[in-house]
């Protein structure tokens, strides 16, 4: 089992990007396509255009990514439509984002993944606009900016799922992002769980694998119940899985308190990789086998502040 973060990096040349842009713009120009009501149609349009124009090597990488064990896959230089102002309240006119949505859902389709949302978060919408929202000031939320969002997995208060189940009841397997703007050059940082675990002593690993923690839902999710008497690390045939969010994990025993302390210190020292997403970049990572974080930052002018589009997929 490799311990370092494995990243598959791809990049479109400008000619491919422009052909893709032209085809997608034409395909969505005279119809109203919403990211929730018409997700399947957008995915079909996007997947068709991508299949027509992407080089075989990238198509292959997409097909095999879930099976390769790579923690992260990136594709740079995707088309950028004309973007509206960065949304301040978390939501934007989705039909106006049809080209971006066709790309995002089309890529998920080529990855053989199912996009989904849960109804208690983001008002149940597929696309989460990761952008500074004054209402989230001081919270560790993807809508925040002024607070560090330290190492975590998304929705750690849910059980781990497998194949062929309703993804909404389980930890999202993958987080996918399309970057609209990131003038502030704020990185999305990722570390491989195996690497952080390798630095721990055997006793600490055993304590972290024992059901002696309570894991609450993230700050952005007010209604969901915590997971009680659970472990933070679990062995699976694919490697070690983690559920973690420093802000919502509570130890239930003295041994759990000590182990949690050592885990937090190991995370501080773990080797990680920083992805500074640029407009038109796509990033997907395995939320079972990596932790991610975003440090506090000072957003640029509101209309052009950092804006990523995130979608869960399993
Ligand atoms: O802003 C970022 O780079 C990532 C935020 C985050 O943790 C998330 O969207 O789940
Ligand atoms: Fe997150």
């Amino acid at each position: 089992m490799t311990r370092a973060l494995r990243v598959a990096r791809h990049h479109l040349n400008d000619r491919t990007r422009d052909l893709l842009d032209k085809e997608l713009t034409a395909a969505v120009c005279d119809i109203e396509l919403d990211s929730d009501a018409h997700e399947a149609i957008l995915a079909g349009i996007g997947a068709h255009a991508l299949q027509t124009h992407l080089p075989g090597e990238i198509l292959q990488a997409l097909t095999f990514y879930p099976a390769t064990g790579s923690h992260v896959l990136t594709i740079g230089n995707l088309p950028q439509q004309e973007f509206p102002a960065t949304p301040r309240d978390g939501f934007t006119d989705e039909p106006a984002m049809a080209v971006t949505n066709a790309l995002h859902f089309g890529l998920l389709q080529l990855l053989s993944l199912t996009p989904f949302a849960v109804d208690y978060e983001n008002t149940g919408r597929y696309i989460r606009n990761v952008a500074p929202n004054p209402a989230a000031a001081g919270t560790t939320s993807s809508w925040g900016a002024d607070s560090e969002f330290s190492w975590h997995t998304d929705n750690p208060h849910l059980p781990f799922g497998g194949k062929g189940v309703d993804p909404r009841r389980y930890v999202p397997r993958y987080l996918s992002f399309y970057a609209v703007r990131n003038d502030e050059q704020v990185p999305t940082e990722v570390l491989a769980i195996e690497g952080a675990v390798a630095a721990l002593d055997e006793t600490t690993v055993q304590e972290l694998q024992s059901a002696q923690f309570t894991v609450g839902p993230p700050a952005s999710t007010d209604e969901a119940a915590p997971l009680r008497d659970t472990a933070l690390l679990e062995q699976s045939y694919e490697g070690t899985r983690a559920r973690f969010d420093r802000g919502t994990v509570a130890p239930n025993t003295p041994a759990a308190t000590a182990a949690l302390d050592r885990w937090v210190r190991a995370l501080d020292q773990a080797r990680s990789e920083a992805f500074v997403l640029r407009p038109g970049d796509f990033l997907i990572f395995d939320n079972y086998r990596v932790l991610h974080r975003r440090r506090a930052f000072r957003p640029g002018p509101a209309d052009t502040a950092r804006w990523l589009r995130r979608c869960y997929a399993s």
Side-chain angles (χ1 to χ4, degrees):
M1 187 61 62
T2 56
R3 288 168 177 173
L5 192 74
R6 287 164 55 199
V7 183
R9 287 175 205 275
H10 299 276
H11 192 87
L12 266 56
N13 63 38
D14 290 355
R15 187 181 139 74
T16 303
R17 177 201 60 201
D18 293 345
L19 288 170
L20 199 49
D21 190 22
K22 208 167 149 196
E23 176 161 337
L24 287 172
T25 306
V28 304
C29 73
D30 51 5
I31 32 174
E32 172 105 349
L33 291 166
D34 177 68
S35 54
D36 292 279
H38 308 117
E39 181 279 321
I41 295 171
L42 285 160
I45 291 171
H48 179 265
L50 289 158
Q51 251 156 351
T52 308
H53 297 292
L54 287 188
E57 170 206 327
I58 300 184
L59 288 172
Q60 268 218 340
L62 289 167
T63 304
F64 294 113
Y65 166 71
T68 55
S70 287
H71 299 93
V72 181
L73 176 141
T74 63
I75 303 178
N77 201 31
L78 288 162
Q80 297 168 52
Q81 60 165 95
E82 246 174 67
F83 296 120
T86 298
R88 273 170 240 205
D89 67 349
F91 300 98
T92 192
D93 176 14
E94 285 297 324
M97 295 295 288
V99 167
T100 302
N101 288 332
L103 276 169
H104 200 151
F105 294 139
L107 286 166
L108 295 179
Q109 182 160 314
L110 296 183
L111 285 154
S112 306
L113 299 176
T114 305
F116 72 97
V118 285
D119 54 15
Y120 53 78
E121 165 179 272
N122 201 41
T123 65
R125 309 209 65 178
Y126 281 116
I127 299 291
R128 172 78 165 178
N129 290 296
V130 177
N133 177 341
T139 67
T140 51
S141 158
S142 61
W143 281 349
D146 56 350
S147 297
E148 162 156 342
F149 201 169
S150 61
W151 292 117
H152 68 281
T153 58
D154 269 36
N155 284 350
H157 63 296
L158 299 173
F160 291 116
K163 295 194 174 102
V165 295
D166 181 340
R168 295 172 299 179
R169 297 168 53 197
Y170 302 94
V171 179
R173 180 66 200 253
Y174 297 98
L175 267 63
S176 65
F177 296 87
Y178 173 94
V180 175
R181 41 181 82 101
N182 187 13
D183 293 348
E184 299 90 338
Q185 302 211 19
V186 177
T188 305
E189 294 172 80
V190 180
L191 69 77
I193 285 159
E194 301 274 351
V197 170
L200 297 172
D201 60 277
E202 191 54 39
T203 313
T204 302
V205 176
Q206 275 168 18
E207 297 296 353
L208 294 171
Q209 287 177 339
S210 306
Q212 50 179 347
F213 299 87
T214 301
V215 180
S220 51
T221 310
D222 31 18
E223 287 163 47
L227 193 61
R228 295 185 195 282
D229 300 321
T230 187
L232 299 188
L233 298 178
E234 265 182 44
Q235 284 311 323
S236 83
Y237 67 95
E238 293 166 312
T240 310
R241 296 169 163 181
R243 57 163 51 79
F244 191 66
D245 184 332
R246 188 65 201 89
T248 74
V249 166
N252 299 340
T253 65
T257 306
L260 179 59
D261 210 49
R262 285 194 284 273
W263 180 229
V264 169
R265 267 184 282 146
L267 295 179
D268 277 343
Q269 276 151 32
R271 202 145 50 102
S272 63
E273 199 147 337
F275 297 88
V276 180
L277 297 182
R278 292 192 299 192
D281 282 357
F282 177 79
L283 166 76
I284 184 164
F285 59 74
D286 184 341
N287 188 47
Y288 285 14
R289 292 169 49 244
V290 310
L291 298 177
H292 64 284
R293 78 171 169 191
R294 188 210 56 230
R295 292 181 184 273
F297 68 102
R298 186 190 293 269
D303 281 0
T304 54
R306 185 175 189 262
W307 181 13
L308 311 182
R309 309 256 300 163
R310 186 192 77 201
C311 188
Y312 290 151
S314 285

